[in-house]
Amino acid sequence: MRAPTPQTLAVAAAFLVVSLLWSWPLALDPAGSVVSGIDTWGTLWSLGGVQTLETAWPIGQNLGRADSLVLLALRRLVPMGSPTVAAAVWVILAPVATALAAEATARGFGATRPWSLLAGLTLGFGGPATAALVDGQLYTLFCPWLPLLALDWHRATRPDGTAVQGLRSGIWWVLCLGTTAYLGIAATLWVLGGLLAAGGRRTLRWAGPVAAAAVALPAGALYLSFFAAGDTRSGVLGVDPARAMEVGSASLSTLASWAPVVAADPHAVASPLGFVPVALVAVAPLVLGDQRGWRFPALVGLIALVASLGPTLRLAPGMNGAPGLLAPLTTLPGAAWFRFPARLLWVTTLGFGLVASRAAGCLAERPGTRPFALVLLAAAAVEILVLVGAPFRTTPALAKPPSALVTLPNGPHLSLFAPSPGRHVDVELFLVDRSCAWQAWHRQPLFARCLDTDTRSDPRARVSAEVHAALLANQPGEVRALLQAVGAASVSVHPDSYAGSEADAVLAGLRAALGSATAESTDHGVQVTVFTVPQPVADRARARDALAALP
Amino acid sequence: MLMPGPLPVCALLAALSASAASQRLLFQVQVPAGTATTALAVEVSRLGTTQTVRLTDDGSAPGDVPGDGVHTGWLDGSHATLSQVVLRDGEAVLYAGTDVTTRTGVDRVGFALRTVGDRVEAIRAPASLPGAPGRLGTGAGRVAAYGWGALALLYVGGMLLWSRRQGS
């Protein structure tokens, strides 16, 4: 393995500076806070290294619904310490790795330094990466595999392509799929596009693609069977696919900039592309002309861009529009799983970044234009921070658990919240997600399902509903017997989730059932009261029978 | 001899870390023209205590534009990630619900009033000072983004023309 050159180290340092600014102010308090996002808490749970058998007590859960198998594998291989520190280090370093890979790929596609930095900036810190950060899907930020796949696949499908290049491409594709399913779909789009382009030129040698398929097809089939065996959240498949895809699609306005209205949605779909790479891609036909190697990245990026607009081409979210490229997909079975076409923009930022770096380099070679091109490079970096807007779209959130939850009694723990408090089920989902994240600290089994969390059908929801019903009926003996039967060793109540006097009623009922609270705290922004359940059933099978007997 | 004090950077980091434990909840209610209100107030319960915040449109809140129809008020306190919020106009309850307020520093809770039949109710709306929640701020951002886009295109196009002229 070659040692990095001083130039490579300088490029890495430049990306690190951008990353620190991009994730600001995370670097100020990496041990205590995380970037606030709807999926941040699930990522913290994954970084905590908790066994899935310790969730959804007493049933347990398999890994079929894991957001990122690569994250879970890395968590096993690399000691990461505190989940918050691990998340912060991940947020700061993962985009640097992705950007470095994109920068190297750009040079592989014919760009020169420093213009190849454009590819790194566009992919590592661009719209899709920022949307992943805002959403808390931190695992997506570490995807050097996508640009490495682009480079090796480009080489493998040339007339002099080799089986080794194809083999490497297959491995990169598997890693993309393991990082997230959406990244796997994005990688597949790139691979199929490359195959069609090479086939169209009649220059394809099959050694590379066959070697890639030898790796990718078995791994892909394994992944699909794994996914099919996963615990299915009841809500996903009941959603109208067209409606689900529209919410998760890009629109012309979200491609241009982000806005507080969009950022207020549960999931961030605003993935601004940045106008500097778009402008350079727009002039690429004039600048690069007959040169080789730029048309395919530009074309596949453009196709992904149109596909990211989803089933309806709209000017802005919520507006009416014309049928889009993905409209036929909405009639297919299982289409509801593909809820975020906007994530195909990973392909666009990769393709456009590669072409933009080539075009900028070509412009800079012309007499008298180098200073202007350097200004453009600086503008691209500023644009990433301001227009794409990560520092303005993210805020730190306190992540550490309240002190009352750190020292729970040994045994399964039930978190009790008001069912669907307020008018938004998202509030309850947030509370479940966060209670799962805290498991990384207290490490007691939870009734909540922590992969593909749910507020309706998991053991936590079912036991909570019964506990609330018994409390409402003023039957403390029933509450105690139920908690003992399902094996709960402790119960935590979050009074702030209940409206008005409901919290007092719940606390009084639990005191009558279980005696005085054993711990209370209001630190880290959370009010929580913990009760210990005396003599719970310790046998998982008996607890499972008791759960099965619930309505 | 002067003893070396703590590094300014360390002091700054400590100050910023300390501020993470406090929180300002900024409440905004967009009142459409023609909608009569008497005394808008928000009752907030969090971390076991309940406080009431009066909302005004007189520019007294940071960033508020007086008379723009957005009534504003704020509440300083320890950081709380969950709040029970009841919006009242006099005795009438316009909204009651749970709000997730995870953000340290300033977290905004926005509402918009609407008239349904003969009664006024409030819905949650994205908050964005100054002006109407989620509208003026959004529009200005979009205009700036498209302006920048046009500038970038002109700049790159200009570079291309310049280079061609130099080349010839």
Side-chain angles (χ1 to χ4, degrees), chain A residues 414-422 427-428 431 460-461 463-469 471-472 491-510 527-529 531, chain B residues 43-50 82-86 96-99:
Chain A
L414 175 71
S415 302
L416 212 54
F417 326 116
S420 297
V427 175
E428 193 179 355
L431 292 169
R460 187 206 65 84
V463 174
S464 294
E466 287 303 302
V467 169
H468 280 127
L471 288 171
L472 204 64
V491 181
S492 63
V493 182
H494 296 253
D496 283 348
S497 70
Y498 294 89
S501 58
E502 287 176 359
D504 294 335
V506 168
L507 289 171
L510 284 172
Q527 185 187 14
V528 66
T529 305
F531 293 88
Chain B
E43 193 179 284
V44 189
S45 303
R46 53 182 195 157
L47 300 181
T49 60
T50 302
L82 213 56
S83 303
Q84 288 293 330
V85 177
V86 179
T98 310
D99 279 283

Side-chain angles (χ1 to χ4, degrees), chain B residues 104-130:
Chain B
T104 54
V106 179
D107 207 334
R108 291 171 172 175
V109 182
F111 301 94
L113 297 193
R114 65 180 183 186
T115 305
V116 181
D118 57 351
R119 131 186 113 78
V120 176
E121 66 174 23
I123 54 169
R124 287 282 277 110
S128 170
L129 277 173

Side-chain angles (χ1 to χ4, degrees), chain A residues 28 257 372 383 434 496 525, chain B residues 13 79 81 84 142 148 155:
Chain A
L28 291 178
S257 71
F372 295 104
E383 183 180 72
R434 196 175 59 173
D496 283 348
Chain B
L13 290 181
H79 181 253
T81 55
Q84 288 293 330
R142 292 259 188 259
W148 163 247
Y155 186 88

Side-chain angles (χ1 to χ4, degrees), chain A residues 28 36 253 256-257 259 261 275 283 286-287 366 368-369 372 375 383 395-396 398 421 430 434 496-498 525 527, chain B residues 13 16 47-48 79-82 84 98 100 102-104 134 138 142 145-146 148-149 153 155-156 159-160 162-164:
Chain A
L28 291 178
S36 176
S253 69
S257 71
V261 171
F275 284 105
V283 299
L286 300 172
V287 177
R366 301 184 180 195
T369 52
F372 295 104
V375 169
E383 183 180 72
T395 47
L398 299 183
F430 158 76
R434 196 175 59 173
D496 283 348
S497 70
Y498 294 89
Q527 185 187 14
Chain B
L13 290 181
L16 287 166
L47 300 181
H79 181 253
T81 55
L82 213 56
Q84 288 293 330
T98 310
V100 175
T102 52
R103 297 181 174 194
T104 54
T138 307
R142 292 259 188 259
Y146 288 126
W148 163 247
L153 277 166
Y155 186 88
V156 174
M159 274 177 70
L160 186 64
W162 163 266
S163 66
R164 285 191 168 177

Side-chain angles (χ1 to χ4, degrees), chain A residues 103-120:
Chain A
E103 192 268 344
T105 297
R107 285 185 286 116
F109 270 80
T112 54
R113 279 178 176 157
W115 320 111
S116 53
L117 267 74
L118 268 173

Side-chain angles (χ1 to χ4, degrees), chain A residues 136-485:
Chain A
Q137 295 134 12
L138 311 182
Y139 36 84
T140 317
L141 301 176
F142 188 60
C143 62
W145 343 111
L146 187 63
L148 292 174
L149 166 68
L151 184 57
D152 271 318
W153 192 239
H154 173 63
R155 289 171 175 165
T157 53
R158 283 192 311 207
D160 57 347
T162 64
V164 173
Q165 289 160 347
L167 200 64
R168 280 205 302 257
S169 302
I171 293 168
W172 302 138
W173 182 85
V174 171
L175 286 168
C176 283
L177 185 66
T179 299
T180 71
Y182 282 100
L183 211 56
I185 294 169
T188 305
L189 183 62
W190 190 283
V191 166
L192 292 179
L195 206 57
L196 282 174
R201 290 194 300 267
R202 300 179 189 281
T203 57
L204 185 64
R205 276 193 68 220
W206 284 100
V210 167
V215 176
L217 288 180
L222 190 65
Y223 182 91
L224 282 178
S225 63
F226 201 47
F227 185 81
D231 309 296
T232 305
R233 183 167 54 173
S234 53
V236 173
L237 293 176
V239 177
D240 171 25
R243 173 73 192 135
M245 285 170 78
E246 274 180 22
V247 173
S249 297
S251 69
L252 292 178
S253 69
T254 59
L255 290 171
S257 71
W258 66 279
V261 171
V262 176
D265 287 340
H267 280 286
V269 290
S271 303
L273 292 175
F275 284 105
V276 170
V278 168
L280 284 165
V281 171
V283 299
L286 300 172
V287 177
L288 298 171
D290 291 335
Q291 293 183 33
R292 297 181 66 185
W294 69 270
R295 287 188 188 84
F296 169 68
L299 187 63
V300 75
L302 195 61
I303 291 170
L305 174 62
V306 178
S308 76
L309 297 169
T312 311
L313 305 179
R314 294 164 302 161
L315 198 58
M319 291 178 74
N320 292 327
L325 195 62
L326 299 189
L329 272 189
T330 58
T331 57
L332 297 179
W337 285 110
F338 188 62
R339 291 185 296 153
F340 296 99
R343 292 178 189 167
L344 292 177
L345 287 170
W346 281 98
V347 173
T348 306
T349 47
L350 174 60
F352 281 17
L354 296 179
V355 177
S357 45
R358 285 276 305 269
C362 202
L363 273 173
E365 284 171 6
R366 301 184 180 195
T369 52
R370 188 176 170 86
F372 295 104
L374 284 170
V375 169
L376 205 59
L377 187 59
V382 174
E383 183 180 72
I384 284 291
L385 298 172
V386 179
L387 185 79
V388 182
F392 307 102
R393 295 169 67 186
T394 54
T395 47
L398 299 183
K400 285 183 178 172
S403 51
L405 288 183
V406 176
T407 52
L408 290 173
N410 278 332
H413 176 75
L414 175 71
S415 302
L416 212 54
F417 326 116
S420 297
R423 299 178 184 187
H424 307 289
V425 73
D426 291 330
V427 175
E428 193 179 355
L429 201 55
F430 158 76
L431 292 169
V432 176
D433 287 345
R434 196 175 59 173
S435 71
C436 283
W438 288 337
Q439 192 186 20
W441 278 269
H442 64 66
R443 313 206 71 90
Q444 301 302 331
L446 287 181
F447 284 78
R449 192 162 64 210
C450 290
L451 290 172
D452 197 30
T453 48
D454 179 25
T455 60
R456 291 288 171 272
S457 63
D458 72 348
R460 187 206 65 84
R462 294 172 64 196
V463 174
S464 294
E466 287 303 302
V467 169
H468 280 127
L471 288 171
L472 204 64
N474 197 18
Q475 296 173 322
E478 290 288 316
V479 172
R480 181 183 172 125
L482 168 66
L483 291 171
Q484 287 172 327

